[in-house]
Amino acid sequence: MPIEVDSVDEWRRYADAAVEIRVKKVGDVVKLKARTKKALVTIKLSEGDANQLIQEYKGKGRSVREF
């Protein structure tokens, strides 16, 4: 079962340890998914907030796959 978090800081902790980060855009909502070894952790954000996080992790050299 995926874990859905509400806090960006909490999602970042999982994303820093993630094997892969995925992005799914549905209308005005963007769902960010961090796949760790043990779980899939998701967060739903507005497009502006999500783009900021996506650019942050791309800048760190992390693989971010967009669907």
Side-chain angles (χ1 to χ4, degrees):
M1 272 322 264
I3 301 168
E4 186 169 356
V5 296
D6 296 327
S7 168
V8 174
D9 292 330
E10 187 176 357
W11 186 83
R12 278 187 175 137
R13 280 187 268 143
Y14 288 106
D16 289 339
V19 176
E20 180 180 39
I21 298 172
R22 297 179 185 173
V23 179
K24 184 171 182 177
K25 296 180 181 179
V26 180
D28 295 339
V29 177
V30 178
K31 187 182 244 186
L32 297 175
K33 303 176 182 184
R35 165 59 70 188
T36 65
K37 290 182 180 180
K38 295 184 178 183
L40 176 66
V41 182
T42 64
I43 189 170
K44 293 179 183 175
L45 298 171
S46 67
E47 201 167 335
D49 293 336
N51 285 334
Q52 184 180 4
L53 280 174
I54 292 167
Q55 293 306 316
E56 177 184 333
Y57 280 95
K58 282 184 177 180
K60 290 181 180 179
R62 302 295 303 266
S63 172
V64 178
R65 295 180 58 192
E66 296 187 38
F67 294 95

